[in-house]
Amino acid sequence: MAKAGILFLRVCVQLLALPIYLLSFLGIWDPFCKKIFFPFFIEKLTASYNRKASRHKQELFSNLQEFAGPSGELTLLEIGTGTGANFQFYPFGCKITCTDTNLNFQHGLSKSMSQNQHLQFQRFLVVPGEDLNQVADSSMDAVVCTLVLCSVQSIERVLKEVLRVLRPGGAFYFLEHVAADCSSWCYFWQEVYYPTWKLVFAGCCLTRETWKSLEQAKFSEIKLRHIQMPLYWTPVQSHIIGYAIK
């Protein structure tokens, strides 16, 4: 009965989003989404999300400086920087390399960079998290990835690259929305919204069990917690947060 209900409600949601499906069929939606809709949506979402996640982000990044190299400088790589939602939480003098696959975040990113002049921005790379070949082996003290692993092609390949670019003893920080408990109503609605949500929000997957990939990766230590973000009436309340050490 639950599966039948999910399928029925999926069709209802898809009918409501029929114009977007038609635009996608015609090859119009994807470029429009990447160039206009998604950057606009993310820029507006960032301020609201950071207000709700501020306490968690402050706690998460509170020990970043402990992973600085012998010189005391912290070199950090951020995968999927977007509009720079995390900049305000990074320690003074942090040297940042930004990466993203979408150049259309530049307006919001430039604004965030100008508002966070306590940081040293090194370079911006237009590369996917699965292929960080422009970043040298063992060159980073920390790697950060927030709300990105939901939409990458392969979490395993991203984590393999993370381990490659981190120096021994370096840390990978993450904050990601994930699949809810499979017996919950939240998971039911994640299943309902899944196909349409993925189409509308540039490949974002609602039901990824990202913690399993992190636990199976070859980190020496992992500190991971499941939390509920106060994003009421949305299917993205369930999150994981923490860091893993190479």
Side-chain angles (χ1 to χ4, degrees), residues 12-244:
C12 292
V13 172
Q14 288 169 329
L15 287 172
L16 289 172
L18 187 58
I20 295 176
Y21 278 93
L22 289 173
L23 289 173
S24 178
F25 177 76
L26 295 170
I28 297 172
W29 175 253
D30 188 56
F32 171 78
C33 178
K34 289 181 178 178
K35 186 174 182 179
I36 298 173
F37 172 74
F38 199 58
F40 174 81
F41 173 79
I42 290 297
E43 189 169 350
K44 297 301 180 184
L45 173 69
T46 294
S48 174
Y49 184 87
N50 266 357
R51 284 195 298 271
K52 298 177 187 298
S54 179
R55 177 175 60 85
H56 293 294
K57 284 192 175 185
Q58 287 174 352
E59 179 184 350
L60 174 64
F61 297 125
S62 62
N63 68 339
L64 250 178
Q65 190 60 43
E66 295 177 13
F67 292 97
S71 67
E73 292 184 333
L74 178 72
T75 57
L76 183 149
L77 172 73
E78 182 163 356
I79 298 173
T81 304
T83 59
N86 297 320
F87 290 168
Q88 63 182 290
F89 301 100
Y90 294 157
F92 182 87
C94 178
K95 292 185 173 182
I96 301 177
T97 296
C98 302
T99 76
D100 212 296
T101 56
N102 192 339
L103 278 172
N104 297 295
F105 290 119
Q106 286 294 332
H107 177 265
L109 180 61
S110 297
K111 184 178 178 181
S112 293
M113 291 171 75
S114 66
Q115 292 173 343
N116 291 280
Q117 296 187 13
H118 66 291
L119 306 175
Q120 298 181 46
F121 297 100
Q122 303 295 291
R123 53 180 177 159
F124 182 92
L125 305 175
V126 185
V127 293
E130 295 92 337
D131 186 7
L132 302 170
N133 59 59
Q134 297 181 54
V135 183
D137 295 1
S138 304
S139 61
M140 294 291 161
D141 299 313
V143 177
V144 173
C145 192
T146 62
L147 303 184
V148 172
L149 296 179
C150 58
S151 57
V152 299
Q153 293 296 313
S154 169
I155 297 176
E156 288 71 26
R157 284 169 55 199
V158 172
L159 296 179
K160 185 177 179 180
E161 282 289 83
V162 168
L163 283 163
R164 180 183 66 78
V165 303
L166 274 177
R167 64 166 176 78
F172 173 58
Y173 286 77
F174 53 87
L175 174 61
E176 299 285 339
H177 74 79
V178 294
D181 185 288
C182 61
S183 64
S184 68
W185 276 108
C186 184
Y187 184 79
F188 175 88
W189 286 106
Q190 285 180 335
E191 288 281 5
V192 169
Y193 288 128
Y194 182 90
T196 301
W197 187 278
K198 185 176 181 180
L199 173 65
V200 174
F201 297 109
C204 175
C205 299
L206 289 171
T207 57
R208 285 190 172 173
E209 297 175 327
T210 307
W211 65 90
K212 292 183 178 180
S213 297
L214 283 160
E215 290 168 348
Q216 291 166 6
K218 296 178 180 179
F219 291 103
S220 65
E221 182 182 354
I222 183 168
K223 297 182 183 295
L224 183 154
R225 290 189 296 121
H226 289 257
I227 62 172
Q228 293 294 307
M229 203 67 76
L231 301 169
Y232 305 117
W233 308 107
T234 77
V236 290
Q237 294 181 57
S238 298
H239 280 56
I240 55 171
I241 186 171
Y243 63 93

